[in-house]
Amino acid sequence: GRPLTNALLFCGQPWCYVEASCRAHVHKSGIFPGHALYFSYETCNAADFFSSELLLDTLRGRLLRAGVPGTEVPKLVKPAAGTGRPTGYVAEFMDHLFDTVGATIQMQEISDDSKNEFPLSTYSACARDVALGRLDFCYGYFWETPQRLVATAFTPVFETDLFYLVVPGGDSQGAAGMIGKVFAPFSVGLWC
């Protein structure tokens, strides 16, 4: 067959089934429930980029430099300069992850150089500082734009913004009439 264009990254990595007692880093397979099967990337000379334990170990005990591009209540509230970590549910989620693995966060301002490069977006400026190695990550609720994706990697999406475009149609109602249509089910005449 032909390889899937949307296959998960680990699908392309070589791996082998191994004994549970194998000295290499092994994982229990969940593909065949009821069977104790184990696999390993290491035995096939491949890097295991997908193990949560290995990913957590990359953060354990590290000092991470963080920037905060802006405030979006209740998601993220930027602290006053020098007063600690941001608050809001996005920041609290990220802090929980970093505290769990034992990483230390050092707050830093986004560089003036990056702010000058992106005067209309502190979010793009923060992503630029990550790309240049000035920061390790940015707290925030970022839209993944093509420009930002070229600069740095993003975490998996955990919330989606939906946008709807309302345009006048070919009928004679106009824009106000179209917007009013959403209230039609609540009209008095309909329910009496």
Side-chain angles (χ1 to χ4, degrees):
R2 211 172 59 203
L4 294 174
T5 57
N6 63 345
L8 298 173
L9 291 176
F10 61 80
C11 292
Q13 289 291 98
W15 58 275
C16 307
Y17 280 115
V18 296
E19 297 289 329
S21 60
C22 180
R23 292 183 188 192
H25 192 257
V26 300
H27 304 275
K28 184 169 183 176
S29 175
I31 300 295
F32 301 105
H35 299 280
L37 296 174
Y38 298 86
F39 66 95
S40 171
Y41 292 100
E42 190 178 323
T43 56
C44 292
N45 294 320
D48 182 358
F49 297 112
F50 315 103
S51 165
S52 56
E53 302 92 38
L54 292 175
L55 293 174
L56 291 174
D57 283 344
T58 63
L59 295 173
R60 193 164 282 117
R62 286 207 40 216
L63 173 67
L64 301 173
R65 300 160 299 157
V68 183
T71 292
E72 294 182 50
V73 177
K75 298 171 186 168
L76 183 69
V77 178
K78 185 175 180 175
T83 62
R85 292 185 187 179
T87 57
Y89 69 81
V90 172
E92 289 167 7
F93 171 71
M94 294 175 76
D95 285 344
H96 172 74
L97 296 176
F98 294 129
D99 290 343
T100 299
V101 299
T104 303
I105 307 303
Q106 178 186 44
M107 301 305 301
Q108 289 185 203
E109 291 294 320
I110 298 167
S111 72
D112 289 337
D113 180 46
S114 289
K115 288 180 192 174
N116 289 335
E117 184 72 23
F118 294 100
L120 302 178
S121 175
T122 53
Y123 288 85
S124 292
C126 202
R128 181 176 188 260
D129 275 353
V130 171
L132 295 174
R134 296 174 180 156
L135 296 173
D136 295 305
F137 76 97
C138 298
Y139 282 96
Y141 191 74
F142 283 75
W143 287 346
E144 289 183 6
T145 64
Q147 185 178 40
R148 292 175 188 160
L149 283 170
V150 168
T152 189
F154 282 78
T155 61
V157 174
F158 62 90
E159 190 172 55
T160 303
D161 284 333
L162 300 175
F163 289 89
Y164 298 94
L165 178 63
V166 178
V167 296
D171 58 15
S172 59
Q173 286 184 335
M178 285 181 58
I179 292 171
K181 282 183 180 181
V182 299
F183 300 105
F186 305 105
S187 65
V188 175
L190 183 64
W191 299 100
C192 293

